[in-house]
Amino acid sequence: LNREMSGTNGLKFLPEMLMEHPSAAIIMMASHSNAMDAVEAIKLGAVDYFERPLDAGKMRACIATQRALYEIL
């Protein structure tokens, strides 16, 4: 799910997204964030949290990990 969050914080939508899609591995990315937002995202159920500029290698590794975990289940 890719949503533009102009003027709001995606953390507000994370619980709703997980209720609608409980098995989803949600990876969040923010252009303006801080360590508290990252910790909150993980506490709320995100599997990872990235800030901009995006580190493509880390994102690929995160996606590969989530795919491998999904295949195990």
Side-chain angles (χ1 to χ4, degrees):
L1 178 61
N2 182 10
R3 289 189 182 176
E4 184 176 330
M5 302 291 172
S6 299
T8 189
N9 184 327
L11 292 174
K12 293 178 184 177
F13 297 102
L14 183 55
E16 177 185 333
M17 287 186 280
L18 285 171
M19 285 176 64
E20 290 179 27
H21 307 281
S23 63
I26 297 176
I27 301 168
M28 297 191 71
M29 184 174 75
S31 57
H32 304 289
S33 63
N34 57 50
M36 288 175 45
D37 287 343
V39 170
E40 185 67 16
I42 301 302
K43 283 182 180 179
L44 290 171
V47 297
D48 213 331
Y49 187 93
F50 292 89
E51 296 178 337
R52 289 186 184 170
L54 179 64
D55 182 324
K58 287 183 181 180
M59 178 65 87
R60 281 197 277 295
C62 180
I63 292 169
T65 299
Q66 293 307 311
R67 282 185 177 160
L69 290 171
Y70 181 77
E71 289 173 4
I72 290 170
L73 300 174

